[in-house]
Amino acid sequence: MCGIAGMISLRNAKREPQNIATRVKKMAEILRHRGPDDEGYLLGEWQSGKYHLAFGANTPLNVLQSHYPYAPSQPIAQLARDEQELNISIGLASRRLAILDLSAAGHQPMCNADRTLWIVHNGEIYNYRQLREELKALGHNFISDTDTEVILHSFQEWDIDSFNRFNGMWGLLIWDLKKRRIVCARDRFGVKPFYYYLNEDWLLFASEIKALLVTGVVDAKPSEAAIYDFLVLNQQEQTSGTFFEDIKQLRGGEYLDLHLGGAGFTDHARYWDINEERPALRLSEPEYARRFYEIFEDAVKLRLISDVPVGTCLSGGLDSSSIVCVMDRLLHEGKIKIPGRENIQKTFSARYRDSHHDEGQFIEAAIAKTKIDAHNIYPEEADIADELERLIYYQEEPFGTLSIYAQWNVFKLACEKGVTVMLDGQGSDEQLAGYTPYPFYNLFAQRIANWQWVRLINEIGCYSAVQKGSRREALKWGMIHHVAYANKPLWLASKIESIRSSKMAKSLKGSATRHYEWVDEGFRQQEARARGATPKSQLFRDDIFENYLYYCTVDPGLHHLLHFEDRNSMAFSIEARVPFLDYRLVEFIFSLPPEQKLRNGLTKHVLRQAMAGTLPEPIRQRRDKIGFSTPQDRWFRTLLREPIQDLIESASFRQRPYFNASEIQRLFTDHCNGTKDLSGDLWRALCLELWMRRFIDQSCIGAGAP
C-alpha cells in the first residue's frame, strides 16, 4: 500500500528546465500519511530511456544498503540541484506503507529483471502468490515476495489483459522504456484512487488531488458542474470529473494507455465489466447459500494476507458482522492466523449515547458469539469542530453527510491500537439490494414489465408486512419506475421521471429539499441548462432490477463511498480492505435470480441464508439498517451551533455565487428551533464553504494537514 505520484513532460524537444525533481519531491511529501515507511524516486528522460534512482529522508537504511536493481543511489535533493544538466522529462515517486514483504525488496519505484519496465503501485493483489507460480512456469524469475513484482511480470506476459487476472485493489502506473509507453490503471470498482491531469504538455498523476495541486502546473479551480450536482442533486463522483475543473480520475475498471512522442493515447478504456451475456445460475436453495459462503470465506481469507496487524470494522450490521464471524470461525478451525503478537481478532466500533444511532445491542451480540478483542469509540466526545478541518483536508472534496465522521473515528481508534490493515463491509448493500425501499420498487417494475402479476402481488404483500410500507404506494412506485426505465416513448418516460424525482424530493424531510431556495437561483439555472439530461447506466437492456443494482455497484457505483473509506483510512496510515468487492463474489451475485436478493420482504436473502449458524440470529434477522450513522441533526442544534452560525454570517459565505445566504440562515434557525431535520441540505452548503476555504481560497495547500 502506497501513495504514488509523478510528472511526465510530453514535449519532444528540449525546453527550459521543468523542475520535475523538485516538484515530484513536493508531491511525495504531501502524501507522507499514505506511506510513512519508505520513499523512492525515479527521475529520467523518456526520450532516451536514461534514468536516476533517488532516495529521501524517510528511505530506510536497509533499502540504501540493498543490491536490488531498483535500490536508490543518490538523494532527491541532489537530483533537484542537478536537474538542468540532466534534462529530466519524467519523474515517479512512491511513499510506502509496508504491508507485504517488509524488507527492502518492497521498495518502489520497482523494475523487472531487464529494467525495461518500471512501476509505482498503490494497493494489494491478493492472488499474487498463485500468479507468481503461474509466471514461474512460464519462465519468469522473482527476487522478492511482493505483489508489485508480480504485477510487472504479469504485464510483461499479458499486457493490458493482466489486469483481468488480478484479484485486489490498485492504482498504478507502468513505464515501458522500450515502447516509450505509459499505462495507468485502476481496480475494477475503484477501491484505490488514481487522479490525473493531462494536456498537450503534461501528464500528472497521484493517489490524491492535493499532490497534483502542489506542482503549480494545474490550478485549484472549482468545477461548477460538480458543485451543481452536489448541491442540487446530492450526487458525487458520477463521472470521471472531480470538484476541480481540470483534474480527472480513472473510474473503476478503466485504464489509460499513452504512447510518448505523439503516437496517441487511449483514455478511459474499460478492461472489465459485468458480462451482459452471463449465464443465469439455476441451483437449489441450499446450493446458492453454499456457493456464496465458499466464495465469501475465500475472499475474507485472501484479505488477511499481511505481515502487519489486521483488524475489522464492526458496526453491528449484517455485512461487517459477517466478516467478523467468518474470521472468528476460520480462527477457531485453525485455517488462518492473524498477524500480530496475539492470534486474536481486534474489532473497532463507533458507539453513541443516543439510541437512535447506536447499534450497541448488535455489536454486543457479535462479541458474545465470538472471541474478539472489541474496542469502542464515541465520536461526539471528541472536539468535532476542530476535527472537521482535518477531515475536509484529507477528504479533498465535499461530502454530503457527517456520517463519514463516524468512520473517521473508527480508523483513528484502530491506528491508536497499532492496527495497520482493516477489513470493512463496504459493497454488500449495493449488490444485494440492501437500501430500502428503492430495490423493491425496481423489482416491482421488472415484474410489471414481465407481466408477472401474481408474483408482483405476493412480493408487494411481503414488502408491506415486513417493511411497513403502503401497498398502494409500492404499486404506484413500481409503475413509475417501470415507465421511467422501460422502452416507452421518450416524452412519456421523461414526464414520468420528472414526476418520480419530484415525488422523491417531497418524500424527504424538510422544505429546503423540495425547492432549493437555498441554492442561488442564477447558478441553478445556468448549470441546469449547461448540464442537460444525464441518462442512468443501463447494461442489461431488458432488466430494470439488474440495471438498478449495476448502477449502484459498478457505474457510477460505489466511487463516492470508496473515496470516503480510502481517505479516512489513509489519513491514519491504515489500509482498508473490502471482501464484498472481491470480483468473483460480485460476478456470482450478478448471476443470481432476484429472489436470492429480495425474498419475503427482506433484503440480502442469499447472505442471510449463507450465514445461518455463523451469525448471531438477532443480526441475521435484522430488518433495520443504520450503518455509519451520526446524530448530525442534534449536533447542529448543540455542539456545532455556534461555529455554524459564525460560518453563515461570514463575508466569504455570503459572497459565494452558489448560496442564497438569507434562505440558509432561515433554514438554520428553523432547524435549531424546530423538530424537522434540515441538516442534510445545510451541511452540503456548509461543507462546500469549508472546502472552498481550504482548497480554493488558500494558496498554501503544500503547508500540510491542519
Side-chain angles (χ1 to χ4, degrees), residues 492-508:
L492 179 59
S494 176
K495 182 67 175 176
I496 294 294
E497 176 67 11
S498 174
I499 295 171
R500 186 181 75 93
S501 300
S502 174
K503 292 287 186 182
M504 284 187 177
K506 289 180 181 178
S507 71
L508 299 175

Side-chain angles (χ1 to χ4, degrees), residues 285-415:
E285 185 69 16
E287 186 66 9
Y288 283 124
R290 185 188 70 79
R291 291 275 296 275
F292 182 97
Y293 186 87
E294 286 178 351
I295 300 172
F296 180 66
E297 181 187 78
D298 193 57
V300 172
K301 283 173 65 177
L302 280 179
R303 282 155 184 79
L304 295 175
I305 296 172
S306 172
D307 294 324
V308 295
V310 179
T312 46
C313 299
L314 176 60
S315 70
L318 269 170
D319 310 330
S320 65
S321 300
S322 293
I323 295 171
V324 168
C325 291
V326 166
M327 280 182 62
D328 184 75
R329 183 172 172 176
L330 290 169
L331 278 168
H332 181 73
E333 295 173 354
K335 294 181 179 178
I336 61 169
K337 185 175 181 180
I338 297 178
R341 286 179 298 176
E342 317 101 353
N343 190 29
I344 186 169
Q345 180 181 180
K346 289 182 171 64
T347 65
F348 300 89
S349 308
R351 298 285 306 274
Y352 298 93
R353 312 297 179 189
D354 184 340
S355 61
H356 292 293
H357 298 274
D358 186 61
E359 298 187 82
Q361 61 173 316
F362 299 108
I363 292 170
E364 294 300 329
I367 293 171
K369 186 173 175 62
T370 57
K371 295 180 179 179
I372 59 178
D373 181 12
H375 302 269
N376 298 320
I377 191 168
Y378 290 80
E380 59 192 330
E381 295 180 1
D383 192 332
I384 302 171
D386 285 349
E387 285 283 89
L388 277 181
E389 189 177 353
R390 297 187 68 236
L391 182 59
I392 286 168
Y393 172 80
Y394 282 107
Q395 284 295 326
E396 298 189 307
E397 296 185 274
F399 44 94
T401 170
L402 273 174
S403 64
I404 70 170
Y405 179 65
Q407 188 185 59
W408 167 274
N409 279 273
V410 167
F411 287 120
K412 180 180 180 181
L413 178 62
C415 176

Side-chain angles (χ1 to χ4, degrees), residues 582-688:
D582 187 301
Y583 80 95
R584 300 168 302 164
L585 187 64
V586 175
E587 290 178 350
F588 173 76
I589 290 172
F590 269 93
S591 71
L592 298 178
E595 54 268 22
Q596 288 298 315
K597 299 156 190 175
L598 298 179
R599 173 86 67 89
N600 298 328
L602 282 175
T603 63
K604 306 182 181 180
H605 175 76
V606 67
L607 172 62
R608 295 176 192 270
Q609 295 303 107
M611 292 300 139
T614 301
L615 271 180
E617 281 301 295
I619 298 176
R620 196 174 76 89
Q621 299 294 344
R622 279 191 71 172
R623 300 181 181 184
D624 63 323
K625 178 174 180 56
I626 298 177
F628 275 118
S629 177
T630 55
Q632 175 177 285
D633 58 332
R634 177 166 55 80
W635 289 353
F636 276 34
R637 297 184 180 103
T638 55
L639 300 174
L640 296 175
R641 183 168 183 167
E642 186 174 335
I644 288 174
Q645 186 60 57
D646 291 344
L647 188 147
I648 293 173
E649 292 176 352
S650 68
S652 65
F653 186 84
R654 293 182 174 273
Q655 291 168 7
R656 298 286 180 208
Y658 314 119
F659 309 134
N660 180 337
S662 59
E663 178 64 17
I664 290 175
Q665 178 62 73
R666 185 190 67 78
L667 282 178
F668 185 52
T669 302
D670 290 349
H671 176 84
C672 292
N673 296 338
T675 57
K676 279 188 177 181
D677 180 7
L678 305 176
S679 64
D681 293 330
L682 286 166
W683 172 250
R684 295 206 299 284
L686 301 171
C687 186
L688 180 64

